[in-house]
Amino acid sequence: MKIIKEISRFIVGGLFIFSGLIKLNDPVGTSIKLHEYFDVFASDIAGFFSFFVPYALPIAVFLVVLEVVLGIAVLLKYKMNLTSWILLLMIVFFTFLTFYSAYFNKVTDCGCFGDAIKLTPWESFTKDIILLVFVGILFVYRKTFTPLLNHRVGNILIGTIILICNYVAIYAINHLPFIDFRAYKVGGHIPTLMQPSGEIIMEYTVEKDGKQETFTTYPTDPAYKYIDSRILNPEVNPKITDYSIYNDDGDFTDASFVGNKLYIVIYDARKASKDIDRINELIKGLASYNVEVAAITASTYDDFEAYRHETQLAIPYYYSDATVLKTILRANPGLFLLQNGKVIGKWHHNDTPTAEEIRRLL
């Protein structure tokens, strides 16, 4: 049992630290996922969940910091009675979330490991069930663990970790994630990422004479009745499937892949920072360079026009889906530099580059 306890401690501690650090890298992404859950629960379970929507970001920061702290606490056997209770409550709650997502097909990606590792809803639920077993072992034997550090040193260390994690989270929010795990990261060629990386192999489930069969090529016999289909090699699917920009004059997706383009991404004009003096200076500085500057928004016409006039953002603009824009940039507003469809640079508005810095990249 001693070996099982130690294995459980290292698995739970290591997994919580790993999961927490990945999400600490991108608290805004975690808040977007929480927003999805709150919307679903408000619609399906109880309306009061909508109360949490405006607080998704601070809740996300609290949860990711807590994950890291709990993981370290387990490894140090720090206050295991309290730590085990919190772990048990968290894993029970997350197991419910992943089961609900999987069974009702509500949120297709739990965000357990941010954008670094994508899990299907049922994979997430299975992971939580296994983790629940290990957490259960720690809970049952919580009073048998002896702390590795004395009480005072343990308190100082945990307090320091909490401060550091909060600083890292706040820094990531006010700039951009330290590591970009998304398809739109610098160096990616969007047109290529919109294409399959190989031949897609399908499996079709059909029925004939009451008997189900599977084929990799759909049968031509009209006696077969379609039942289901799935992709056998999903790894070749396009990494980007929903990128598009447009306005009243038509679709400009393909045009965005030609030449040098600097896009000011403002996915919600109502919530966007109005402190964009440096962005306006950059736009003026690029006037003599071969760079087309435009904005992309998911806001309504009225909201964006109001924002443009208030901030003196005198550039053309296009529309796109809010989820796409939030995936491209964790900033509102942010800057997105393309050269013939290749991502050359991305910036939070707090880190707006100069026109000379843009020129050196092109």
Side-chain angles (χ1 to χ4, degrees):
M1 182 51 67
K2 181 179 180 181
I3 295 176
I4 294 175
K5 283 164 49 181
E6 289 302 296
I7 291 174
S8 299
R9 185 168 66 87
F10 280 106
I11 289 177
V12 172
L15 197 59
F16 265 72
I17 292 172
F18 177 69
S19 174
L21 287 177
I22 286 178
K23 293 198 282 286
L24 194 65
N25 171 70
D26 183 14
V28 175
T30 302
S31 73
I32 292 171
K33 190 57 59 178
L34 286 177
H35 195 301
E36 287 185 54
Y37 276 115
F38 293 150
D39 282 341
V40 168
F41 289 165
S43 174
D44 293 2
I45 299 176
F48 73 83
F49 279 101
S50 60
F51 169 81
F52 298 106
V53 170
Y55 308 104
L57 185 55
I59 293 173
V61 171
F62 172 77
L63 288 176
V64 298
V65 171
L66 183 61
E67 271 195 270
V68 176
V69 171
L70 286 173
I72 293 173
V74 168
L75 293 183
L76 297 176
K77 305 179 188 179
Y78 174 81
K79 295 186 177 180
M80 285 298 286
N81 189 38
L82 175 62
T83 298
S84 297
W85 268 107
I86 298 174
L87 281 170
L88 183 64
L89 292 174
M90 281 190 70
I91 194 60
V92 168
F93 175 67
F94 286 131
T95 302
F96 165 74
L97 287 186
T98 53
F99 171 76
Y100 191 88
S101 297
Y103 189 80
F104 294 102
N105 196 30
K106 290 293 184 177
V107 181
T108 56
D109 174 21
C110 72
C112 304
F113 300 109
D115 291 296
I117 302 175
K118 296 289 189 179
L119 298 178
T120 66
W122 283 115
E123 287 173 343
S124 299
F125 175 66
T126 302
K127 180 265 297 178
D128 285 342
I129 288 294
I130 295 171
L131 194 55
L132 180 60
V133 173
F134 290 117
V135 171
I137 292 171
L138 296 181
F139 181 79
V140 170
Y141 294 97
R142 63 190 182 280
K143 295 183 180 180
T144 65
F145 291 99
T146 302
L148 298 182
L149 303 173
N150 67 50
H151 183 74
R152 184 169 180 270
V153 174
N155 287 342
I156 292 173
L157 181 58
I158 293 297
T160 302
I161 291 169
I162 291 173
L163 291 176
I164 292 173
C165 287
N166 274 283
Y167 173 81
V168 170
I170 292 170
Y171 186 90
I173 291 169
N174 287 290
H175 298 275
L176 289 179
F178 301 94
I179 303 174
D180 192 348
F181 293 106
R182 285 155 289 146
Y184 296 94
K185 64 186 177 183
V186 173
H189 187 249
I190 296 177
T192 299
L193 294 169
M194 292 173 68
Q195 302 298 321
S197 59
E199 182 182 357
I200 295 176
I201 302 174
M202 299 292 298
E203 180 182 78
Y204 301 94
T205 302
V206 294
E207 184 179 87
K208 181 180 179 182
D209 299 329
K211 180 182 178 181
Q212 289 191 0
E213 298 180 64
T214 58
F215 298 92
T216 54
T217 302
Y218 196 82
T220 57
D221 186 345
Y224 281 104
K225 178 184 176 183
Y226 173 83
I227 301 297
D228 195 12
S229 62
R230 67 187 183 98
I231 299 175
L232 294 179
N233 55 341
E235 67 278 1
V236 307
N237 273 343
K239 299 293 188 265
I240 295 175
T241 59
D242 46 9
Y243 173 82
S244 68
I245 64 171
Y246 56 91
N247 62 21
D248 291 341
D249 294 324
D251 186 284
F252 289 84
T253 303
D254 290 338
S256 70
F257 303 143
V258 179
N260 301 320
K261 302 286 196 299
L262 178 65
Y263 292 116
I264 315 302
V265 176
I266 304 170
Y267 53 79
D268 188 343
R270 295 171 302 174
K271 298 178 181 178
S273 171
K274 295 180 175 61
D275 182 19
I276 64 166
D277 290 342
R278 285 179 296 175
I279 291 179
N280 281 326
E281 289 176 13
L282 172 62
I283 293 169
K284 293 177 183 177
L286 290 174
S288 59
Y289 295 142
N290 184 28
V291 181
E292 179 185 333
V293 182
I296 312 178
T297 186
S299 304
T300 64
Y301 172 83
D302 290 339
D303 286 340
F304 196 73
E305 281 295 319
Y307 181 84
R308 287 183 70 216
H309 285 92
E310 187 172 355
T311 59
Q312 299 299 303
L313 188 63
I315 55 176
Y317 62 94
Y318 303 96
Y319 295 102
S320 188
D321 179 74
T323 300
V324 171
L325 298 183
K326 291 176 184 178
T327 303
I328 291 174
L329 270 174
R330 303 299 202 211
N332 187 36
L335 298 96
F336 185 51
L337 180 64
L338 296 178
Q339 183 178 60
N340 296 321
K342 182 179 180 180
V343 183
I344 302 299
K346 295 167 68 171
W347 298 270
H348 192 285
H349 65 85
N350 288 331
D351 305 309
T352 300
T354 63
E356 180 59 25
E357 288 173 321
I358 295 289
R359 188 193 66 80
R360 286 199 295 266
L361 288 172
L362 298 172

